[in-house]
Amino acid sequence: MDALRKLEILADAAKYDVSCSSSGSNRQNKKGGLGNASAAGICHSWTDDGRCISLLKILMSNSCIYDCAYCVNRSSNDLPRATFTPEEVADITINFYKRNYIEGLFLSSAVVKSPDHTMEQFIEILKKLRDVENFNGYIHLKAIPGADKKLLDKAGSYADRMSVNIELPTEDGLRMLAPQKKQNEILGPMNDIKQGMLQSIEERKIFRNSPKFVPAGQTTQLIVGATKDSDYRILKLSEGLYNDFQLKRVYYSAFVPVSTNPLLPRISSPPLVRENRLYQADWLLRFYGFNSDELLSEDKPDFDLLLDPKCDWALRNIDKFPIEINRAEYHMLLRVPGIGVKSAQRIVSSRRFCQLDFDDLKKLGVVLKRAKYFITCKGIHSGIKSMEPVNIRANILGDSSKKDPRQLSLFDLEGGMGNDLKIELPV
Amino acid sequence: MISKLSYLYDGSFEGLLTAVWEAYYAKEDPSEIIWEGVSHPNLLSSTKMIYTDANKADRVYRAVEEKISHAALRRIFYIYLSGEPESGIIVLNYLRIGFRLGAAVDDYHAEPTVLKSEKLYNKVAMEKHRQAGLIRFKRLESGVFYSKIDPDHNVIALLAPHFAARMPSEYWILHDAGRGIAVFYDKNDWVVRNLETPEDIVLKEEEETYQEMWKAYYRHLSIESRKNMSLKKRMMPVRYWKNLIEEGIELWS
């Protein structure tokens, strides 16, 4: 089989992994080398589904020894199989990079023969790229659960980012759909990667040249909608991963039905709105100072599909509003629907020069359509008379009824220039 | 009747800085500062030629850096590169506020001129960032990597350091075909020179292989059930597609 055919098969197999970011690492080029990594990340193209293409995202192989129900590569599925040689992966990466098609490589794989064997093949590829070709572009590697820790360490010293996909948010889900995977086999490597990163940071305080370990941090992916897990359980898990495992990002992937296994839910299209709500809530956790218990609870376990999580929170806490734009503290500004991190910062710096009015807010990028119910400007409120949540809610939904909630949008200006999954920020 | 005063300059950055110097020292308040090549004489306006003076330009340059900030210097350079007709007067008005407020000027987001300068700066910065990803090099028979681009703003000189750091050991050319200029890199330094669209260019044989692979990869990456072309077009405006191999352009065009 030629490399072109393999590429078709192994790109197809990798496309359901939604992580596409090339950010967070600023690996410099060395003399005579090729490539560097840009901390802000760079998108090189966009697919027809609107996702950014930044890395050559492929599987090394789709020949898997496991048979997970949700996965297109499960061993019982009848589909063409292919495996790249290390030379092929290195050659395509280098030549795509020189033509500026990509920022680097995102390498994943089905589990070939054994977790250790697969990991060893990965290391072969990374050695070829880094040591032989002198390649300093971005490399994101999938850690294979169950592989030996020594192999994980070795791989981590070559990669910019590593990730272990959790896929299913609860042990129950795993037991049902991926009985050969164990939760501790996933969390184990995650913890090892975290320890490796911490250790490398400590060592670099003493020896400036000691090698970096996964400098862009680790990420994971959760599939949404393949099991009955609520948004609350998923968000709780993410919060734990950020706090306890210091993950850089958690990606959420709406379940795309790729098989007709009776254990899987029958749906006609992926739950994209739910995926979007989770991303918005995730943003609120990481940049807006919210915690998961403020957003959801056992009594209210799922997000409102019509209203973004921040609006929803504000309506449930209407007693805290309206706030005066010219006096409110930064952390309260962040909690106003229609005000994002960037506009909150701009409000704080601009109001040093003069008192702001509604016109000024518009110029600073505040979405007044939503914010007006929750703020006053120089004492003036321009929302509706009633501060009753039901009335405000009706007005907000009336304003946005024309908008298709499926349209995920907005440039990710907060985390660098458009380097990541494009989602609607919870402004 | 009030007559408007227009400054005409030669289109160089030094020329624009000389115009700023002139406005300050002649105590004049021009209503536009435009490139003489695009000016249209108007009965209601009087014009004044600005003759580029490296000394005056240098004094303004250093004053901006010392009295405002390095960021302000970068901002006016980007605004200049935007090539927009109003860029000259925005630079002058922005600097007037800047010399009054110092480095804090960029925090004054609600001030109309500062806001305009920020918008124009962002447009150019955005295009620079986008082009860094959307440029496609093709390998020529001679081994040189060549790329033709058509950016809205004059950004090739901003992109040159990016590629010099990435591909220090290759020869490459970044060609802004619309403006007839190109960056040439010779494994040590880069320079900007005039370049008309070359006619007799031969691609290296391997080029076809990698272009086919890239197209195949691109085709196989989309998830049909998530298709969303309007999102794609918002992220990657259609006007950029003509130079993208993956959008089906011919091997050589």
PDB file of all heavy atoms in Angstrom, chain A residues 35-36 44-46 48-49 57 91 99-100 103 275 346 408, chain B residues 118 129 132 136 166 170 206-207 210 217-218 223 226 231-232 246:
ATOM      1  N   GLY A  35      12.012  24.387  11.797  1.00  0.00           N
ATOM      2  CA  GLY A  35      10.768  24.595  12.524  1.00  0.00           C
ATOM      3  C   GLY A  35      10.898  25.095  13.941  1.00  0.00           C
ATOM      4  O   GLY A  35      11.931  24.981  14.589  1.00  0.00           O
ATOM      5  N   ASN A  36       9.791  25.703  14.411  1.00  0.00           N
ATOM      6  CA  ASN A  36       9.674  26.112  15.801  1.00  0.00           C
ATOM      7  C   ASN A  36       8.205  26.033  16.160  1.00  0.00           C
ATOM      8  O   ASN A  36       7.369  25.709  15.331  1.00  0.00           O
ATOM      9  CB  ASN A  36      10.232  27.521  16.006  1.00  0.00           C
ATOM     10  CG  ASN A  36       9.566  28.545  15.105  1.00  0.00           C
ATOM     11  OD1 ASN A  36       8.467  28.326  14.597  1.00  0.00           O
ATOM     12  ND2 ASN A  36      10.228  29.649  14.884  1.00  0.00           N
ATOM     13  N   HIS A  44      -3.781  26.575  10.048  1.00  0.00           N
ATOM     14  CA  HIS A  44      -3.329  26.574   8.660  1.00  0.00           C
ATOM     15  C   HIS A  44      -4.457  26.397   7.664  1.00  0.00           C
ATOM     16  O   HIS A  44      -4.313  26.711   6.489  1.00  0.00           O
ATOM     17  CB  HIS A  44      -2.259  25.505   8.449  1.00  0.00           C
ATOM     18  CG  HIS A  44      -0.942  25.898   9.051  1.00  0.00           C
ATOM     19  ND1 HIS A  44       0.150  26.236   8.298  1.00  0.00           N
ATOM     20  CD2 HIS A  44      -0.569  26.056  10.341  1.00  0.00           C
ATOM     21  CE1 HIS A  44       1.156  26.574   9.088  1.00  0.00           C
ATOM     22  NE2 HIS A  44       0.745  26.468  10.345  1.00  0.00           N
ATOM     23  N   SER A  45      -5.562  25.844   8.126  1.00  0.00           N
ATOM     24  CA  SER A  45      -6.714  25.749   7.240  1.00  0.00           C
ATOM     25  C   SER A  45      -7.923  25.406   8.098  1.00  0.00           C
ATOM     26  O   SER A  45      -7.790  25.247   9.316  1.00  0.00           O
ATOM     27  CB  SER A  45      -6.483  24.668   6.174  1.00  0.00           C
ATOM     28  OG  SER A  45      -7.425  24.819   5.133  1.00  0.00           O
ATOM     29  N   TRP A  46      -9.087  25.317   7.461  1.00  0.00           N
ATOM     30  CA  TRP A  46     -10.297  24.920   8.182  1.00  0.00           C
ATOM     31  C   TRP A  46     -11.054  23.881   7.376  1.00  0.00           C
ATOM     32  O   TRP A  46     -11.174  24.003   6.159  1.00  0.00           O
ATOM     33  CB  TRP A  46     -11.191  26.137   8.439  1.00  0.00           C
ATOM     34  CG  TRP A  46     -10.746  26.956   9.615  1.00  0.00           C
ATOM     35  CD1 TRP A  46     -11.196  26.841  10.894  1.00  0.00           C
ATOM     36  CD2 TRP A  46      -9.759  27.991   9.650  1.00  0.00           C
ATOM     37  NE1 TRP A  46     -10.551  27.741  11.715  1.00  0.00           N
ATOM     38  CE2 TRP A  46      -9.670  28.457  10.982  1.00  0.00           C
ATOM     39  CE3 TRP A  46      -8.930  28.570   8.678  1.00  0.00           C
ATOM     40  CZ2 TRP A  46      -8.802  29.467  11.361  1.00  0.00           C
ATOM     41  CZ3 TRP A  46      -8.066  29.576   9.056  1.00  0.00           C
ATOM     42  CH2 TRP A  46      -7.995  30.013  10.384  1.00  0.00           C
ATOM     43  N   ASP A  48     -14.457  21.546   6.286  1.00  0.00           N
ATOM     44  CA  ASP A  48     -15.830  21.934   5.943  1.00  0.00           C
ATOM     45  C   ASP A  48     -16.727  21.972   7.174  1.00  0.00           C
ATOM     46  O   ASP A  48     -17.802  22.560   7.144  1.00  0.00           O
ATOM     47  CB  ASP A  48     -16.422  20.964   4.913  1.00  0.00           C
ATOM     48  CG  ASP A  48     -15.793  21.163   3.543  1.00  0.00           C
ATOM     49  OD1 ASP A  48     -15.028  22.129   3.376  1.00  0.00           O
ATOM     50  OD2 ASP A  48     -16.065  20.351   2.635  1.00  0.00           O
ATOM     51  N   ASP A  49     -16.327  21.326   8.266  1.00  0.00           N
ATOM     52  CA  ASP A  49     -17.144  21.425   9.473  1.00  0.00           C
ATOM     53  C   ASP A  49     -16.666  22.582  10.368  1.00  0.00           C
ATOM     54  O   ASP A  49     -17.137  22.741  11.490  1.00  0.00           O
ATOM     55  CB  ASP A  49     -17.211  20.088  10.233  1.00  0.00           C
ATOM     56  CG  ASP A  49     -15.838  19.524  10.547  1.00  0.00           C
ATOM     57  OD1 ASP A  49     -15.010  20.275  11.074  1.00  0.00           O
ATOM     58  OD2 ASP A  49     -15.586  18.336  10.281  1.00  0.00           O
ATOM     59  N   LYS A  57      -2.866  15.469  11.727  1.00  0.00           N
ATOM     60  CA  LYS A  57      -3.475  14.615  12.737  1.00  0.00           C
ATOM     61  C   LYS A  57      -3.735  13.248  12.134  1.00  0.00           C
ATOM     62  O   LYS A  57      -4.612  13.091  11.283  1.00  0.00           O
ATOM     63  CB  LYS A  57      -4.789  15.240  13.213  1.00  0.00           C
ATOM     64  CG  LYS A  57      -5.383  14.585  14.446  1.00  0.00           C
ATOM     65  CD  LYS A  57      -6.801  15.036  14.703  1.00  0.00           C
ATOM     66  CE  LYS A  57      -6.904  16.518  14.920  1.00  0.00           C
ATOM     67  NZ  LYS A  57      -8.284  16.933  15.242  1.00  0.00           N
ATOM     68  N   ASP A  91       8.635  11.546   6.929  1.00  0.00           N
ATOM     69  CA  ASP A  91       8.726  12.166   5.608  1.00  0.00           C
ATOM     70  C   ASP A  91       7.535  13.086   5.332  1.00  0.00           C
ATOM     71  O   ASP A  91       7.691  14.213   4.873  1.00  0.00           O
ATOM     72  CB  ASP A  91       8.812  11.080   4.527  1.00  0.00           C
ATOM     73  CG  ASP A  91       8.883  11.670   3.134  1.00  0.00           C
ATOM     74  OD1 ASP A  91       9.938  12.241   2.812  1.00  0.00           O
ATOM     75  OD2 ASP A  91       7.883  11.599   2.389  1.00  0.00           O
ATOM     76  N   ARG A  99       6.227  23.069   3.392  1.00  0.00           N
ATOM     77  CA  ARG A  99       5.296  23.753   2.484  1.00  0.00           C
ATOM     78  C   ARG A  99       4.306  24.619   3.257  1.00  0.00           C
ATOM     79  O   ARG A  99       3.403  25.195   2.692  1.00  0.00           O
ATOM     80  CB  ARG A  99       4.578  22.706   1.619  1.00  0.00           C
ATOM     81  CG  ARG A  99       5.480  22.156   0.527  1.00  0.00           C
ATOM     82  CD  ARG A  99       4.955  20.888  -0.110  1.00  0.00           C
ATOM     83  NE  ARG A  99       5.871  20.456  -1.169  1.00  0.00           N
ATOM     84  CZ  ARG A  99       7.055  19.866  -0.976  1.00  0.00           C
ATOM     85  NH1 ARG A  99       7.467  19.637   0.265  1.00  0.00           N
ATOM     86  NH2 ARG A  99       7.827  19.525  -1.979  1.00  0.00           N
ATOM     87  N   ASN A 100       4.492  24.661   4.560  1.00  0.00           N
ATOM     88  CA  ASN A 100       3.653  25.454   5.460  1.00  0.00           C
ATOM     89  C   ASN A 100       2.199  24.993   5.473  1.00  0.00           C
ATOM     90  O   ASN A 100       1.280  25.798   5.598  1.00  0.00           O
ATOM     91  CB  ASN A 100       3.740  26.951   5.118  1.00  0.00           C
ATOM     92  CG  ASN A 100       3.408  27.834   6.317  1.00  0.00           C
ATOM     93  OD1 ASN A 100       3.852  27.570   7.434  1.00  0.00           O
ATOM     94  ND2 ASN A 100       2.591  28.856   6.114  1.00  0.00           N
ATOM     95  N   GLU A 103       1.556  22.978  11.439  1.00  0.00           N
ATOM     96  CA  GLU A 103       2.433  23.425  12.521  1.00  0.00           C
ATOM     97  C   GLU A 103       3.257  22.279  13.104  1.00  0.00           C
ATOM     98  O   GLU A 103       4.169  22.514  13.887  1.00  0.00           O
ATOM     99  CB  GLU A 103       1.604  23.996  13.674  1.00  0.00           C
ATOM    100  CG  GLU A 103       1.128  25.407  13.485  1.00  0.00           C
ATOM    101  CD  GLU A 103       2.285  26.410  13.480  1.00  0.00           C
ATOM    102  OE1 GLU A 103       2.876  26.676  14.524  1.00  0.00           O
ATOM    103  OE2 GLU A 103       2.561  26.913  12.376  1.00  0.00           O
ATOM    104  N   GLU A 275     -22.613  20.051  23.415  1.00  0.00           N
ATOM    105  CA  GLU A 275     -21.160  20.178  23.361  1.00  0.00           C
ATOM    106  C   GLU A 275     -20.754  21.646  23.553  1.00  0.00           C
ATOM    107  O   GLU A 275     -19.850  21.971  24.319  1.00  0.00           O
ATOM    108  CB  GLU A 275     -20.662  19.655  22.006  1.00  0.00           C
ATOM    109  CG  GLU A 275     -19.169  19.800  21.784  1.00  0.00           C
ATOM    110  CD  GLU A 275     -18.769  19.565  20.330  1.00  0.00           C
ATOM    111  OE1 GLU A 275     -18.783  18.405  19.878  1.00  0.00           O
ATOM    112  OE2 GLU A 275     -18.453  20.550  19.631  1.00  0.00           O
ATOM    113  N   ARG A 346     -10.916  45.968  29.316  1.00  0.00           N
ATOM    114  CA  ARG A 346     -10.967  47.272  28.661  1.00  0.00           C
ATOM    115  C   ARG A 346     -11.814  48.262  29.463  1.00  0.00           C
ATOM    116  O   ARG A 346     -11.514  49.454  29.490  1.00  0.00           O
ATOM    117  CB  ARG A 346     -11.490  47.117  27.234  1.00  0.00           C
ATOM    118  CG  ARG A 346     -10.457  46.444  26.319  1.00  0.00           C
ATOM    119  CD  ARG A 346     -11.098  45.716  25.167  1.00  0.00           C
ATOM    120  NE  ARG A 346     -11.672  46.631  24.195  1.00  0.00           N
ATOM    121  CZ  ARG A 346     -11.021  47.092  23.127  1.00  0.00           C
ATOM    122  NH1 ARG A 346      -9.779  46.718  22.923  1.00  0.00           N
ATOM    123  NH2 ARG A 346     -11.586  47.908  22.290  1.00  0.00           N
ATOM    124  N   LEU A 408     -21.733  27.538  16.002  1.00  0.00           N
ATOM    125  CA  LEU A 408     -20.672  27.785  16.978  1.00  0.00           C
ATOM    126  C   LEU A 408     -19.754  28.824  16.370  1.00  0.00           C
ATOM    127  O   LEU A 408     -19.376  28.720  15.230  1.00  0.00           O
ATOM    128  CB  LEU A 408     -19.904  26.500  17.248  1.00  0.00           C
ATOM    129  CG  LEU A 408     -20.792  25.283  17.417  1.00  0.00           C
ATOM    130  CD1 LEU A 408     -19.952  24.058  17.692  1.00  0.00           C
ATOM    131  CD2 LEU A 408     -21.780  25.498  18.532  1.00  0.00           C
TER     132      LEU A 408
ATOM    133  N   GLU B 118      -6.625  51.399  16.987  1.00  0.00           N
ATOM    134  CA  GLU B 118      -6.600  50.018  17.480  1.00  0.00           C
ATOM    135  C   GLU B 118      -7.243  49.076  16.460  1.00  0.00           C
ATOM    136  O   GLU B 118      -6.736  47.995  16.177  1.00  0.00           O
ATOM    137  CB  GLU B 118      -7.365  49.955  18.806  1.00  0.00           C
ATOM    138  CG  GLU B 118      -7.307  48.628  19.494  1.00  0.00           C
ATOM    139  CD  GLU B 118      -8.020  48.675  20.850  1.00  0.00           C
ATOM    140  OE1 GLU B 118      -7.869  49.688  21.561  1.00  0.00           O
ATOM    141  OE2 GLU B 118      -8.727  47.720  21.168  1.00  0.00           O
ATOM    142  N   HIS B 129      -1.208  37.356  11.099  1.00  0.00           N
ATOM    143  CA  HIS B 129      -1.374  36.072  11.773  1.00  0.00           C
ATOM    144  C   HIS B 129      -2.010  35.043  10.848  1.00  0.00           C
ATOM    145  O   HIS B 129      -1.567  33.900  10.760  1.00  0.00           O
ATOM    146  CB  HIS B 129      -2.225  36.259  13.025  1.00  0.00           C
ATOM    147  CG  HIS B 129      -2.459  34.982  13.771  1.00  0.00           C
ATOM    148  ND1 HIS B 129      -1.506  34.419  14.582  1.00  0.00           N
ATOM    149  CD2 HIS B 129      -3.515  34.149  13.796  1.00  0.00           C
ATOM    150  CE1 HIS B 129      -1.978  33.292  15.077  1.00  0.00           C
ATOM    151  NE2 HIS B 129      -3.203  33.112  14.619  1.00  0.00           N
ATOM    152  N   ALA B 132       0.346  33.799   8.150  1.00  0.00           N
ATOM    153  CA  ALA B 132       1.380  32.893   8.657  1.00  0.00           C
ATOM    154  C   ALA B 132       0.916  31.445   8.508  1.00  0.00           C
ATOM    155  O   ALA B 132       1.717  30.537   8.310  1.00  0.00           O
ATOM    156  CB  ALA B 132       1.704  33.196  10.109  1.00  0.00           C
ATOM    157  N   ARG B 136       1.180  28.977   1.294  1.00  0.00           N
ATOM    158  CA  ARG B 136       1.552  27.635   0.833  1.00  0.00           C
ATOM    159  C   ARG B 136       2.806  27.742  -0.029  1.00  0.00           C
ATOM    160  O   ARG B 136       2.792  28.419  -1.051  1.00  0.00           O
ATOM    161  CB  ARG B 136       0.421  27.017  -0.008  1.00  0.00           C
ATOM    162  CG  ARG B 136      -0.895  26.860   0.716  1.00  0.00           C
ATOM    163  CD  ARG B 136      -0.880  25.693   1.703  1.00  0.00           C
ATOM    164  NE  ARG B 136      -2.104  25.651   2.473  1.00  0.00           N
ATOM    165  CZ  ARG B 136      -2.237  26.183   3.694  1.00  0.00           C
ATOM    166  NH1 ARG B 136      -1.214  26.771   4.284  1.00  0.00           N
ATOM    167  NH2 ARG B 136      -3.384  26.117   4.326  1.00  0.00           N
ATOM    168  N   ARG B 166      11.747  29.762  11.100  1.00  0.00           N
ATOM    169  CA  ARG B 166      11.275  28.396  10.853  1.00  0.00           C
ATOM    170  C   ARG B 166      12.142  27.633   9.877  1.00  0.00           C
ATOM    171  O   ARG B 166      12.420  26.467  10.052  1.00  0.00           O
ATOM    172  CB  ARG B 166       9.874  28.444  10.242  1.00  0.00           C
ATOM    173  CG  ARG B 166       8.905  28.715  11.261  1.00  0.00           C
ATOM    174  CD  ARG B 166       7.530  28.349  10.930  1.00  0.00           C
ATOM    175  NE  ARG B 166       6.902  28.445  12.230  1.00  0.00           N
ATOM    176  CZ  ARG B 166       5.741  27.980  12.557  1.00  0.00           C
ATOM    177  NH1 ARG B 166       5.024  27.360  11.678  1.00  0.00           N
ATOM    178  NH2 ARG B 166       5.299  28.108  13.764  1.00  0.00           N
ATOM    179  N   GLU B 170      16.719  26.851   4.251  1.00  0.00           N
ATOM    180  CA  GLU B 170      16.147  26.709   2.907  1.00  0.00           C
ATOM    181  C   GLU B 170      16.149  28.078   2.224  1.00  0.00           C
ATOM    182  O   GLU B 170      16.073  29.109   2.880  1.00  0.00           O
ATOM    183  CB  GLU B 170      14.687  26.220   2.986  1.00  0.00           C
ATOM    184  CG  GLU B 170      14.465  24.934   3.755  1.00  0.00           C
ATOM    185  CD  GLU B 170      14.910  23.692   2.989  1.00  0.00           C
ATOM    186  OE1 GLU B 170      15.221  23.819   1.780  1.00  0.00           O
ATOM    187  OE2 GLU B 170      14.965  22.613   3.597  1.00  0.00           O
ATOM    188  N   GLU B 206       8.728  16.048  -7.030  1.00  0.00           N
ATOM    189  CA  GLU B 206       8.067  15.596  -5.800  1.00  0.00           C
ATOM    190  C   GLU B 206       6.880  16.462  -5.415  1.00  0.00           C
ATOM    191  O   GLU B 206       6.021  16.050  -4.648  1.00  0.00           O
ATOM    192  CB  GLU B 206       9.084  15.610  -4.654  1.00  0.00           C
ATOM    193  CG  GLU B 206       9.607  17.026  -4.412  1.00  0.00           C
ATOM    194  CD  GLU B 206      10.489  17.173  -3.166  1.00  0.00           C
ATOM    195  OE1 GLU B 206      11.252  16.249  -2.888  1.00  0.00           O
ATOM    196  OE2 GLU B 206      10.379  18.229  -2.517  1.00  0.00           O
ATOM    197  N   GLU B 207       6.842  17.702  -5.942  1.00  0.00           N
ATOM    198  CA  GLU B 207       5.815  18.646  -5.529  1.00  0.00           C
ATOM    199  C   GLU B 207       4.410  18.069  -5.707  1.00  0.00           C
ATOM    200  O   GLU B 207       3.548  18.196  -4.843  1.00  0.00           O
ATOM    201  CB  GLU B 207       5.978  19.954  -6.312  1.00  0.00           C
ATOM    202  CG  GLU B 207       5.039  21.072  -5.912  1.00  0.00           C
ATOM    203  CD  GLU B 207       5.108  21.456  -4.440  1.00  0.00           C
ATOM    204  OE1 GLU B 207       6.169  21.293  -3.823  1.00  0.00           O
ATOM    205  OE2 GLU B 207       4.069  21.902  -3.911  1.00  0.00           O
ATOM    206  N   TYR B 210       3.305  15.610  -2.875  1.00  0.00           N
ATOM    207  CA  TYR B 210       2.909  16.173  -1.586  1.00  0.00           C
ATOM    208  C   TYR B 210       1.624  17.000  -1.694  1.00  0.00           C
ATOM    209  O   TYR B 210       0.830  17.020  -0.770  1.00  0.00           O
ATOM    210  CB  TYR B 210       4.063  16.971  -0.978  1.00  0.00           C
ATOM    211  CG  TYR B 210       5.204  16.056  -0.594  1.00  0.00           C
ATOM    212  CD1 TYR B 210       6.409  16.075  -1.286  1.00  0.00           C
ATOM    213  CD2 TYR B 210       5.036  15.111   0.420  1.00  0.00           C
ATOM    214  CE1 TYR B 210       7.437  15.200  -0.953  1.00  0.00           C
ATOM    215  CE2 TYR B 210       6.051  14.231   0.755  1.00  0.00           C
ATOM    216  CZ  TYR B 210       7.250  14.274   0.066  1.00  0.00           C
ATOM    217  OH  TYR B 210       8.254  13.400   0.379  1.00  0.00           O
ATOM    218  N   TYR B 217      -5.506  14.347   2.427  1.00  0.00           N
ATOM    219  CA  TYR B 217      -5.606  14.494   3.876  1.00  0.00           C
ATOM    220  C   TYR B 217      -6.749  15.437   4.231  1.00  0.00           C
ATOM    221  O   TYR B 217      -7.592  15.141   5.070  1.00  0.00           O
ATOM    222  CB  TYR B 217      -4.280  15.041   4.429  1.00  0.00           C
ATOM    223  CG  TYR B 217      -4.335  15.380   5.899  1.00  0.00           C
ATOM    224  CD1 TYR B 217      -4.452  14.378   6.847  1.00  0.00           C
ATOM    225  CD2 TYR B 217      -4.278  16.696   6.333  1.00  0.00           C
ATOM    226  CE1 TYR B 217      -4.525  14.682   8.201  1.00  0.00           C
ATOM    227  CE2 TYR B 217      -4.349  17.014   7.674  1.00  0.00           C
ATOM    228  CZ  TYR B 217      -4.475  16.000   8.602  1.00  0.00           C
ATOM    229  OH  TYR B 217      -4.553  16.314   9.929  1.00  0.00           O
ATOM    230  N   TYR B 218      -6.792  16.550   3.540  1.00  0.00           N
ATOM    231  CA  TYR B 218      -7.799  17.570   3.792  1.00  0.00           C
ATOM    232  C   TYR B 218      -9.206  17.019   3.577  1.00  0.00           C
ATOM    233  O   TYR B 218     -10.108  17.244   4.387  1.00  0.00           O
ATOM    234  CB  TYR B 218      -7.529  18.741   2.842  1.00  0.00           C
ATOM    235  CG  TYR B 218      -8.397  19.936   3.069  1.00  0.00           C
ATOM    236  CD1 TYR B 218      -8.218  20.745   4.178  1.00  0.00           C
ATOM    237  CD2 TYR B 218      -9.393  20.271   2.159  1.00  0.00           C
ATOM    238  CE1 TYR B 218      -9.004  21.853   4.390  1.00  0.00           C
ATOM    239  CE2 TYR B 218     -10.186  21.382   2.355  1.00  0.00           C
ATOM    240  CZ  TYR B 218      -9.988  22.168   3.475  1.00  0.00           C
ATOM    241  OH  TYR B 218     -10.776  23.263   3.678  1.00  0.00           O
ATOM    242  N   ILE B 223     -15.845  15.984   9.101  1.00  0.00           N
ATOM    243  CA  ILE B 223     -16.867  15.067   9.575  1.00  0.00           C
ATOM    244  C   ILE B 223     -18.192  15.489   8.954  1.00  0.00           C
ATOM    245  O   ILE B 223     -18.701  16.578   9.238  1.00  0.00           O
ATOM    246  CB  ILE B 223     -16.950  15.084  11.111  1.00  0.00           C
ATOM    247  CG1 ILE B 223     -15.608  14.637  11.704  1.00  0.00           C
ATOM    248  CG2 ILE B 223     -18.081  14.179  11.603  1.00  0.00           C
ATOM    249  CD1 ILE B 223     -15.526  14.735  13.217  1.00  0.00           C
ATOM    250  N   ARG B 226     -21.141  16.959  10.827  1.00  0.00           N
ATOM    251  CA  ARG B 226     -20.947  18.238  11.514  1.00  0.00           C
ATOM    252  C   ARG B 226     -20.758  19.369  10.515  1.00  0.00           C
ATOM    253  O   ARG B 226     -20.378  20.475  10.894  1.00  0.00           O
ATOM    254  CB  ARG B 226     -19.718  18.175  12.421  1.00  0.00           C
ATOM    255  CG  ARG B 226     -19.796  17.164  13.537  1.00  0.00           C
ATOM    256  CD  ARG B 226     -18.559  17.239  14.420  1.00  0.00           C
ATOM    257  NE  ARG B 226     -18.459  18.536  15.031  1.00  0.00           N
ATOM    258  CZ  ARG B 226     -18.320  18.739  16.340  1.00  0.00           C
ATOM    259  NH1 ARG B 226     -18.279  17.727  17.175  1.00  0.00           N
ATOM    260  NH2 ARG B 226     -18.218  19.951  16.826  1.00  0.00           N
ATOM    261  N   LEU B 231     -19.549  28.536   9.100  1.00  0.00           N
ATOM    262  CA  LEU B 231     -18.518  28.671  10.139  1.00  0.00           C
ATOM    263  C   LEU B 231     -17.139  28.665   9.492  1.00  0.00           C
ATOM    264  O   LEU B 231     -16.280  29.495   9.795  1.00  0.00           O
ATOM    265  CB  LEU B 231     -18.640  27.536  11.157  1.00  0.00           C
ATOM    266  CG  LEU B 231     -17.556  27.451  12.232  1.00  0.00           C
ATOM    267  CD1 LEU B 231     -17.462  28.734  13.045  1.00  0.00           C
ATOM    268  CD2 LEU B 231     -17.812  26.274  13.170  1.00  0.00           C
ATOM    269  N   LYS B 232     -16.947  27.735   8.553  1.00  0.00           N
ATOM    270  CA  LYS B 232     -15.673  27.663   7.858  1.00  0.00           C
ATOM    271  C   LYS B 232     -15.336  28.981   7.164  1.00  0.00           C
ATOM    272  O   LYS B 232     -14.229  29.492   7.253  1.00  0.00           O
ATOM    273  CB  LYS B 232     -15.718  26.541   6.830  1.00  0.00           C
ATOM    274  CG  LYS B 232     -14.544  26.548   5.873  1.00  0.00           C
ATOM    275  CD  LYS B 232     -14.630  25.401   4.906  1.00  0.00           C
ATOM    276  CE  LYS B 232     -13.526  25.518   3.864  1.00  0.00           C
ATOM    277  NZ  LYS B 232     -13.230  24.223   3.250  1.00  0.00           N
ATOM    278  N   GLU B 246      -5.512  23.119  -1.040  1.00  0.00           N
ATOM    279  CA  GLU B 246      -6.572  22.204  -0.626  1.00  0.00           C
ATOM    280  C   GLU B 246      -7.939  22.617  -1.128  1.00  0.00           C
ATOM    281  O   GLU B 246      -8.881  21.839  -1.120  1.00  0.00           O
ATOM    282  CB  GLU B 246      -6.592  22.061   0.900  1.00  0.00           C
ATOM    283  CG  GLU B 246      -6.868  23.341   1.674  1.00  0.00           C
ATOM    284  CD  GLU B 246      -5.601  24.106   2.048  1.00  0.00           C
ATOM    285  OE1 GLU B 246      -4.626  24.034   1.272  1.00  0.00           O
ATOM    286  OE2 GLU B 246      -5.598  24.771   3.106  1.00  0.00           O
TER     287      GLU B 246
END
